[in-house]
Amino acid sequence: MALERIARTARSSCRRSGGAFGGHKSEKDMSSEGASTRKYCSLPSLERDTRNSNFSYLSSIPKVNHSSFWSRGIRTTPSYQFPSAERIVEESDLECNDPKYPGLEATKPGEKPRVVVLGTGWAACRFLKGLDTKIYDVVCISPRNHMVFTPLLASTCVGTLEFRSVAEPVSRIQSALATNPNSYFYLASCFGIDTNKHEVYCETVSNGGLPNEPYRFKVAYDKLVIAAGSEPLTFGIKGVTENAFFLREVNHAQEIRKKLLLNLMLSDNPGVSEEERKRLLHCVVIGGGPTGVEFSGELSDFIMKDVRERYTHVKDYIKVTLIEANEILSSFDVGLRQYATNHLTKCGVSLMRGVVKEVHAKKIVLNNGTDVPYGLLVWSTGVGPSQFVKSLDLPKSPGGRIGVDGWLRVPAVEDVFALGDCAGFLEETGKPVLPALAQVAEREGKFLVALFNRIGKEAGKAMSAKNIYLGEPFVYQHLGSMASVGGYKALVDLRQSKDAKGITHAGFVSWFIWRSAYLTRVVSWRNRFYVAVNWATTLVFGRDNSRIG
């Protein structure tokens, strides 16, 4: 009897604090009740009845046992506390069968439409930067609170630049996230989307700082922009994830730097054999694309200008090997590829052609049976769809990205857009899937934010853009490619496509153009100042070799 009373009390409290779990009321219901649009139930979640679930694209959610919830700027209903006891829920009580998450409910008539952006990469941040916050409220959800200026990330690994020089806080890119009372940034990862209810479901990035782990919440949207990026391709090769370093985030660069400096210092210890010293100081880079080549060039500069001066006991042992299955910089002009090959070889980078079969803790095994010992392994073989993108029950383009039409809309669902590395044109559009480049993502963000700002006043709300004219579709024109190869040398390829004709150049002038172009593309004047000062400091005093952490 006591347990039945507990169950009845829980059900009545559930009804008092907002009705059915996992759902939201219609605009008509909410306006008639005059209820807050940012309320949630603070009861512990109850058993989910999957037979009555209507989550279209939400993967299976484990039970969550939250006793109370709190979120910045969200008004809450009073919380009711119950003794810890087993819940007895009748099958007829369907409104309590889905877990209840705190979060932002759907906007009411008269309120600004809400745009939810998943990600803080190039595409997302270009979109956020230009969004008119007089028309929209904006919510950004990402596991990192900054944008990374990836073209200069390799320079931070060896101390040419400081880490803060390539990281731009998202609140500086879109100030409304910090100042607007109805706009928020949430440090979280999205794990599910319900396109029928116009809701996204998220899990916070936390390390024991919240009373309940994992801490989950939902956000209702009028328009959803998925710019969740991509993940490094490992091709299912055993041992890559466990032993290799990737170079896509600031924390990746920090780990590479610590490992490189640690190996330099360990190799100088007494009693270390010559064979072990050679292994520790062998830096192997897998992948001959722009990232792999630029990192190899930065490493060769670091070795020639700093290691030989400050680590004289082991200077003759340190070595860089770049392994590529085909040709390095395959998208560049053939003359530039040959220049890069000759220059890297001259600077001490050993180029090896091969395919990795398996990665061990201290060596890699190639398909031809060759063992390559290493002390530092950096993996840079391109990117592919993330596990989150793969889990979404949305149309897919060739290659597994989220499929979009010419206006970057996701067909078959309302008010969902995708751009950047996670999106690709569907086959029926007749357009090729664009490469995962920063300039592609930035141009897509620029196009989409112009579209949003143009249609926002009449079609910003959910389900209101079905018959509206969106203008001309997105057209991408390649502006060219650049890559540094170290030693004050770089490559500039201004052709619009691999087979087209155009301006190509290599050498010191190209290096100057490369630096000038990226300095102007850094997001803020603050970071431009940091980058310029770091470059000048490195030129005068050399790179810092302090190992911190």
Side-chain angles (χ1 to χ4, degrees):
M1 294 298 293
L3 294 180
E4 291 178 0
R5 287 198 298 272
I6 291 172
R8 285 196 298 271
T9 306
R11 289 195 293 272
S12 63
S13 299
C14 166
R15 296 188 185 101
R16 288 199 302 269
S17 60
F21 283 153
H24 66 276
K25 298 176 184 288
S26 66
E27 290 182 351
K28 180 179 178 181
D29 293 336
M30 287 190 293
S31 60
S32 63
E33 291 181 9
S36 167
T37 61
R38 288 171 171 77
K39 65 182 181 178
Y40 57 82
C41 178
S42 60
L43 295 175
S45 62
L46 302 177
E47 184 89 11
R48 181 183 180 185
D49 186 351
T50 56
R51 290 173 298 179
N52 295 281
S53 173
N54 58 355
F55 289 96
S56 300
Y57 304 121
L58 184 57
S59 55
S60 177
I61 306 172
K63 290 188 290 183
V64 184
N65 185 27
H66 299 331
S67 60
S68 64
F69 291 111
W70 180 89
S71 183
R72 177 172 62 93
I74 302 178
R75 296 188 293 276
T76 69
T77 56
S79 85
Y80 299 86
Q81 302 296 327
F82 299 99
S84 176
E86 179 183 1
R87 265 62 175 175
I88 302 176
V89 183
E90 299 172 4
E91 283 198 13
S92 60
D93 295 316
L94 299 180
E95 72 272 17
C96 291
N97 287 334
D98 285 329
K100 175 67 176 178
Y101 293 114
L104 303 182
E105 300 291 353
T107 56
K108 295 196 300 184
E111 293 183 330
K112 289 190 290 186
R114 182 187 299 132
V115 177
V116 173
V117 181
L118 304 181
T120 51
W122 280 84
C125 288
R126 182 61 186 85
F127 178 86
L128 288 168
K129 183 179 181 180
L131 190 66
D132 188 348
T133 52
K134 294 179 181 178
I135 301 176
Y136 298 99
D137 288 327
V138 58
V139 175
C140 180
I141 301 167
S142 175
R144 70 181 190 197
N145 72 338
H146 58 273
M147 171 190 169
V148 180
F149 193 80
T150 48
L152 297 178
L153 189 58
S155 298
T156 64
C157 298
V158 295
T160 305
L161 295 177
E162 294 181 13
F163 298 111
R164 66 175 179 175
S165 301
V166 299
E168 186 69 34
V170 69
S171 59
R172 286 181 174 268
I173 295 172
Q174 177 49 266
S175 60
L177 294 171
T179 60
N180 192 315
N182 295 314
S183 295
Y184 307 96
F185 171 80
Y186 293 131
L187 192 71
S189 297
C190 179
F191 65 86
I193 301 172
D194 189 333
T195 56
N196 290 336
K197 293 182 177 180
H198 278 53
E199 292 178 344
V200 297
Y201 301 87
C202 307
E203 184 172 303
T204 58
V205 176
S206 180
N207 188 23
L210 293 173
N212 301 286
E213 298 288 347
Y215 189 91
R216 289 175 168 175
F217 61 92
K218 69 177 181 180
V219 178
Y221 63 84
D222 290 293
K223 296 286 188 288
L224 174 64
V225 177
I226 305 174
S230 55
E231 291 181 353
L233 284 175
T234 64
F235 306 103
I237 298 173
K238 183 180 178 181
V240 174
T241 305
E242 296 81 4
N243 300 303
F245 291 94
F246 302 105
L247 188 53
R248 292 179 53 77
E249 304 285 349
V250 172
N251 66 295
H252 295 163
Q254 290 173 327
E255 293 301 320
I256 290 171
R257 176 174 170 79
K258 288 196 290 185
K259 181 67 172 177
L260 176 62
L261 294 175
L262 176 64
N263 287 354
L264 278 166
M265 290 179 280
L266 289 179
S267 64
D268 205 14
N269 285 336
V272 176
S273 67
E274 185 171 340
E275 182 182 359
E276 181 67 6
R277 183 174 288 119
K278 287 181 178 179
R279 184 195 67 80
L280 282 170
L281 297 179
H282 188 198
C283 306
V284 177
V285 182
I286 308 295
T291 301
V293 168
E294 290 190 343
F295 179 70
S296 300
E298 287 284 352
L299 266 179
S300 68
D301 273 1
F302 177 62
I303 292 167
M304 296 177 70
K305 298 174 184 177
D306 298 273
V307 172
R308 291 186 177 180
E309 180 181 326
R310 302 176 191 178
Y311 297 92
T312 55
H313 299 100
V314 296
K315 64 179 181 179
D316 296 327
Y317 293 94
I318 191 165
K319 178 184 176 184
V320 181
T321 298
L322 175 61
I323 301 177
E324 167 59 42
N326 300 302
E327 291 188 51
I328 65 170
L329 300 174
S330 58
S331 62
F332 281 68
D333 175 75
V334 62
L336 296 182
R337 294 202 299 267
Q338 189 59 50
Y339 180 92
T341 300
N342 295 339
H343 179 78
L344 288 172
T345 303
K346 182 181 176 181
C347 292
V349 178
S350 176
L351 301 179
M352 180 183 297
R353 184 167 293 188
V355 177
V356 178
K357 179 181 179 181
E358 194 172 359
V359 177
H360 299 276
K362 296 183 179 181
K363 69 176 183 179
I364 62 174
V365 181
L366 303 182
N367 270 358
N368 60 9
T370 304
D371 289 350
V372 182
Y374 70 87
L376 172 68
L377 177 63
V378 177
W379 193 271
S380 176
T381 57
V383 295
S386 65
Q387 291 302 315
F388 168 67
V389 169
K390 291 177 182 177
S391 72
L392 297 177
D393 187 13
L394 296 175
K396 296 296 194 297
S397 70
R401 302 186 193 181
I402 299 172
V404 295
D405 63 12
W407 292 268
L408 305 179
R409 299 176 298 183
V410 179
V413 294
E414 290 291 330
D415 302 315
V416 179
F417 299 78
L419 66 166
D421 292 357
C422 71
F425 290 118
L426 291 165
E427 284 186 287
E428 47 265 37
T429 64
K431 298 183 177 183
V433 175
L434 297 174
L437 299 175
Q439 65 171 294
V440 173
E442 186 180 30
R443 301 278 289 284
E444 289 179 342
K446 183 178 180 181
F447 169 85
L448 190 61
V449 75
L451 187 153
F452 269 52
N453 290 341
R454 188 169 64 251
I455 69 171
K457 290 184 178 179
E458 53 182 320
K461 285 287 189 176
M463 311 295 291
S464 63
K466 291 182 179 180
N467 300 315
I468 194 169
Y469 177 67
L470 299 180
E472 295 297 319
F474 174 73
V475 177
Y476 173 70
Q477 289 185 340
H478 189 61
L479 298 179
S481 303
M482 295 184 292
S484 169
V485 292
Y488 304 111
K489 301 293 190 297
L491 315 176
V492 174
D493 189 344
L494 300 182
R495 299 175 303 157
Q496 291 192 353
S497 68
K498 185 176 180 179
D499 301 321
K501 294 183 178 180
I503 299 173
T504 61
H505 194 272
F508 176 79
V509 173
S510 296
W511 174 84
F512 184 79
I513 294 171
W514 175 82
R515 279 208 165 180
S516 301
Y518 283 145
L519 186 61
T520 60
R521 299 304 298 161
V522 172
V523 177
S524 68
W525 282 104
R526 182 195 73 154
N527 277 25
R528 289 173 195 165
F529 176 77
Y530 285 159
V531 170
V533 169
N534 289 166
W535 280 341
T537 303
T538 300
L539 182 65
V540 176
F541 300 107
R543 296 168 179 82
D544 177 43
N545 65 340
S546 302
R547 184 182 184 276
I548 301 173

